[in-house]
Amino acid sequence: MKVNGKARTLDVDSRVTLLDALRERLELTGTKKGCDRGQCGACTVHVDGRRVLSCLTLAAGADGTAVTTVEGLADGARLHPVQRAFAECDGLQCGFCTPGQVMSAVALIEEGHTGSEAEVREYMSGNLCRCGAYQQIVAAVLQAKEGS
Ligand code: FES
Ligand code: FES
């Protein structure tokens, strides 16, 4: 598969999740393991441009796809507009959920689900934040959308 634009080849057991392959084999630890059971969204990455929960995706199932993780968003030292908006709007506290929130937000903006605050909340509802930074997260998504 391609990961953040680079071809990567892995030999993995058929039970290994994409999340574990990214974190433990490719050392891309930006993608977080919150619940490991599809409930929190911290592990969100893009596979062929669509957001997926990498804890519920088998690495073998991603064979031949293009995977983007949070490490693949910035252009060198230049943050992605969504990352910049999260920083400017204080869209985080501890930051553990943030990579997943950012990956969801990037996809959500591309999908065009940013018509209102309510729509953003609905389409970001799979990403939980234990710190409760939701107000600022929504503000960041709307600010990033304006700049996109
Ligand atoms: Fe995948 Fe929580 S770690 S949804
Ligand atoms: Fe702490 Fe979201 S910023 S869990």
Side-chain angles (χ1 to χ4, degrees), residues 18-98:
L18 179 59
L19 174 60
D20 285 342
L22 291 170
R23 288 182 54 84
E24 291 168 23
R25 300 288 301 280
L26 299 179
E27 297 180 359
L28 291 168
T29 53
T31 305
K32 300 297 183 233
K33 183 185 280 192
C35 65
D36 209 18
R37 57 177 67 180
Q39 292 177 348
C40 73
C43 65
T44 304
V45 298
H46 298 173
V47 174
D48 287 339
R50 299 187 59 198
R51 48 184 167 157
V52 304
L53 297 175
S54 59
C55 72
L56 294 186
T57 305
L58 291 173
D63 188 21
T65 66
V67 178
T68 305
T69 70
V70 72
E71 289 93 342
L73 289 185
D75 181 9
R78 228 177 110 84
L79 290 178
H80 185 283
V82 172
Q83 292 174 305
R84 217 166 33 242
F86 268 69
E88 288 171 3
C89 296
D90 286 331
L92 61 142
Q93 288 183 40
C94 76
F96 193 84
C97 71
T98 311

Side-chain angles (χ1 to χ4, degrees), residues 91-98 101 128-134 137:
L92 61 142
Q93 288 183 40
C94 76
F96 193 84
C97 71
T98 311
Q101 302 277 4
L128 305 184
C129 174
R130 294 207 317 184
C131 299
Y134 294 111
I137 289 169

